[in-house]
Amino acid sequence: MQYLAYLVTILAASALAKAQDRKPLVTPEALEDLINRESLLAHAHKLLEFSELSNNNRAFGSKGHNATIHYIKSLLDETGYYDTEFESFTYSYSEAKATFTANGQEFFTRGLGYSPSGDVTAPVVVVNELGCNPSDFPAEVKGKIALILRGTCDLGLKVAHAGAAGAVGSIIYNNVDAEPISGTLGSPSRPQGPYVPSAYISGLNGKAFIASINAGTEVVANIRVTSLVEDRVTSNVIATTKQGDKNSIIAAGAHSDSVPAGPGLNDDGSGTIGILEVALQLSKFSVDNAVRFHWWTAEEFGLIGSEYHVQHLSDEARQTIALYLNFDMIASPNGGIFVFDGDGGATGIPGPPGSDAIESVYRSYFDSHDIKTGSAVFGGSSDYQPFVDIGIPSGGLNTGASGTKTAEGAEWWGGKAGVAYDVCYHQRCDVIENLNVDLLERNSKAIGHSIAVFGRSIEGIPRTRREPVQTLRVSQLSYEERLHLTCDHDDERI
Ligand SMILES: *[C@@H]1O[C@H](CO)[C@@H](O)[C@H](O)[C@H]1NC(C)=O
């Protein structure tokens, strides 16, 4: 009898200890309140520091990127709240960097994918027509640099013809005045001729050189190209709460890599640190539904990490994901606030059933703060796409990339009409000063709000059967097509 009483006392004491141990159930207000700009900026400074380890970028598999993913994983491991893992694989990294001078003056050029490395200096000779036929190349191009207009046929064919004609280098100029956004020779080699080191310049500069040459002034150009192709081992970071229902996983993601051209503080340092800070603060609470955070690698090479992940989910694992939230660029310097158009009402491209309910959570959040929202299109240029492809309700936020802010947008959110949302998009200048800290803080709070809402309940989100992975759209693209998938996204509407 006495023994039994003793046992009861022990059991009661341990139940009490457990109850005290149990953290309070997360609420949207409590989680949001813990997000502040100081902590966000401290992470941003770390990312910038990491980019300095690898020539000012955090391209996938570089030292700067590796440091980024280790930083994320160690902070999460310290909380003891998550099961974390690196999901690793090998992917081919390629880089084409070029510089271009004419008569000693430097001009902007894009590197062309597959252009051979080299350093050539020679007079420039203008090619007839578009350089799509060998006969377009005058005999005097031999030993010189061929200047060719973009259009009609592949850039690679033009450059191969230049090589066949004996040119030592080639310059493609744009068929509009502007700088070209990105370019590639399209395939590693061509039967028509050998590739030569190549530059890719604005239409305005191309026409100016032709005018000089026609006026009798020689133009001597120097083209320097550094090309690199190598297999790199890289990893997604995945962190899942130990606690919460693992049959209703709330998934959220941002990409951890930058483009090779710059440190990527907004793209996508902003999303990376937004979900990181939310994940760290979430560890002070309990959740009813498990929450899983993803930091995708190699997004800038065409959604490689997210597609790899979804492709390798078992049929059973796919059914356990209740929804997916994506945060790619949430602090654009001249940004707006764009909510993914889950119901397709604004863009005509709805997400899978349930995406409308996700959209509503964000619209109500910003409404309650008297902030207007535009709509982001499920256009395929970020990591939501593989989830959308298999029917997982999706949503999220962004603040705009290369698109231009309208007059109405400037009225709603401030900033400058007629200027890109992010003037440093995919450039060297995407540094700390490029971050709109107000947007970074507001959107990180919105992420916290949504994680808490869904961490408590997924009412209104249907659990339809997920599609097989054969339907993944991006996996049908070539390496080159994937590489350019995320180059020019202009996916926002107001
Ligand atoms: C980055 O990490 C991968 C995987 O651990 C490793 O194979 C690679 O050598 C690292 N890269 C650099 C530049 O340190």
Side-chain angles (χ1 to χ4, degrees):
M1 194 57 203
Q2 219 172 356
Y3 173 74
L4 246 181
Y6 172 74
L7 198 65
V8 167
T9 314
I10 295 277
L11 284 175
S14 95
L16 187 67
K18 251 203 185 120
Q20 282 170 344
D21 212 35
R22 192 176 151 84
K23 297 171 176 175
L25 180 63
V26 69
T27 68
E29 299 74 25
L31 184 54
E32 180 187 337
D33 278 353
L34 293 173
I35 307 297
N36 62 64
R37 63 178 64 204
E38 291 72 28
S39 314
L40 293 165
L41 281 173
H43 298 308
H45 281 280
K46 283 286 181 187
L47 298 195
L48 189 73
E49 228 173 79
F50 298 151
S51 73
E52 286 159 8
L53 298 171
S54 43
N55 197 22
N56 304 306
N57 71 70
R58 298 180 300 110
F60 87 86
S62 66
K63 280 208 171 89
H65 181 245
N66 282 7
T68 302
I69 61 177
H70 282 100
Y71 175 72
I72 294 167
K73 188 170 183 292
S74 356
L75 284 181
L76 294 165
D77 284 339
E78 273 171 30
T79 67
Y81 185 77
Y82 294 97
D83 291 319
T84 66
E85 62 168 306
F86 283 137
E87 181 180 37
S88 304
F89 58 90
T90 302
Y91 194 71
S92 174
Y93 176 85
S94 66
E95 182 183 296
K97 279 196 179 148
T99 60
F100 168 66
T101 65
N103 292 342
Q105 193 190 339
E106 183 156 1
F107 293 90
F108 179 85
T109 177
R110 291 278 168 201
L112 286 163
Y114 299 123
S115 165
S117 296
D119 182 346
V120 294
T121 304
V124 174
V125 172
V126 183
V127 168
N128 302 317
E129 308 298 335
L130 289 149
C132 296
N133 297 300
S135 59
D136 294 346
F137 290 77
E140 55 165 323
V141 90
K142 193 166 195 305
K144 310 262 172 57
I145 290 176
L147 178 61
I148 317 166
L149 174 61
R150 174 187 178 187
T152 302
C153 61
D154 290 354
L155 304 187
L157 187 61
K158 296 170 194 266
V159 173
H161 283 153
V168 294
S170 74
I171 306 162
I172 314 269
Y173 66 102
N174 209 351
N175 50 6
V176 292
D177 281 353
E179 308 288 3
I181 300 264
S182 67
T184 172
L185 303 184
S187 63
S189 63
R190 305 239 173 192
Q192 290 84 357
Y195 287 151
V196 288
S198 297
Y200 190 19
I201 65 171
S202 72
L204 210 58
N205 289 335
K207 285 188 288 188
F209 297 140
I210 292 174
S212 299
I213 294 165
N214 289 345
T217 311
E218 189 178 53
V219 175
V220 177
N222 170 249
I223 300 172
R224 279 180 215 180
V225 179
T226 322
S227 276
L228 174 69
V229 179
E230 64 186 18
D231 279 344
R232 288 186 172 182
V233 180
T234 189
S235 315
N236 294 322
V237 183
I238 307 175
T240 310
T241 55
K242 289 183 174 151
Q243 181 253 313
D245 182 355
K246 300 262 188 337
N247 279 312
S248 297
I249 296 170
I250 310 307
H255 68 86
S256 59
D257 65 314
S258 74
V259 289
L265 263 290
N266 183 34
D267 184 10
D268 183 25
S270 60
T272 288
I273 64 195
I275 66 169
L276 175 60
E277 193 51 28
V278 168
L280 294 174
Q281 298 305 330
L282 181 65
S283 70
K284 296 174 179 151
F285 302 94
S286 67
V287 284
D288 285 340
N289 297 316
V291 180
R292 178 175 291 160
F293 294 95
H294 295 274
W295 287 267
W296 307 116
T297 185
E299 188 271 353
E300 297 291 7
F301 277 68
L303 323 182
I304 308 306
S306 54
E307 195 242 350
Y308 180 91
H309 175 76
V310 171
Q311 192 107 54
H312 288 81
L313 286 172
S314 67
D315 185 57
E316 206 187 338
R318 287 202 305 280
Q319 313 308 322
T320 63
I321 303 168
L323 55 90
Y324 175 72
L325 308 171
N326 198 67
F327 305 100
D328 188 357
M329 303 179 71
I330 59 164
S332 303
N334 190 40
I337 293 185
F338 300 98
V339 175
F340 274 94
D341 187 26
D343 64 5
T347 64
I349 307 175
S355 306
D356 50 343
I358 301 172
E359 179 186 349
S360 297
V361 166
Y362 292 113
R363 300 262 188 226
S364 320
Y365 175 81
F366 288 106
D367 280 352
S368 75
H369 288 273
D370 272 326
I371 298 170
K372 298 236 202 245
T373 50
S375 298
V377 189
F378 284 117
S381 64
S382 190
D383 296 303
Y384 53 79
Q385 191 61 47
F387 290 86
V388 167
D389 284 347
I390 63 166
I392 293 180
S394 298
L397 300 170
N398 74 44
T399 53
S402 54
T404 305
K405 189 175 249 179
T406 60
E408 195 178 17
E411 225 170 82
W412 286 4
W413 303 302
K416 287 194 183 126
V419 174
Y421 297 113
D422 184 353
V423 287
C424 286
Y425 179 58
H426 283 188
Q427 292 176 53
R428 173 71 185 87
C429 58
D430 187 7
V431 293
I432 304 262
E433 293 70 26
N434 192 45
L435 293 173
N436 181 324
V437 182
D438 290 337
L439 283 179
L440 178 63
E441 187 178 50
R442 173 53 60 205
N443 288 328
S444 300
K445 282 177 180 284
I447 295 171
H449 174 91
S450 60
I451 291 290
V453 166
F454 295 124
R456 292 171 69 100
S457 164
I458 51 162
E459 216 188 299
I461 311 272
R463 298 297 294 273
T464 49
R465 174 130 199 106
R466 309 312 185 205
E467 307 294 329
V469 289
Q470 287 88 305
T471 57
L472 290 195
R473 237 181 292 171
V474 277
S475 58
Q476 277 141 43
L477 303 177
S478 71
Y479 180 86
E480 284 291 311
E481 286 167 331
R482 293 185 70 146
L483 185 56
H484 293 94
L485 190 65
T486 60
C487 280
D488 190 19
H489 62 96
D490 185 2
D491 281 353
E492 302 79 23
R493 315 270 164 87
I494 70 170

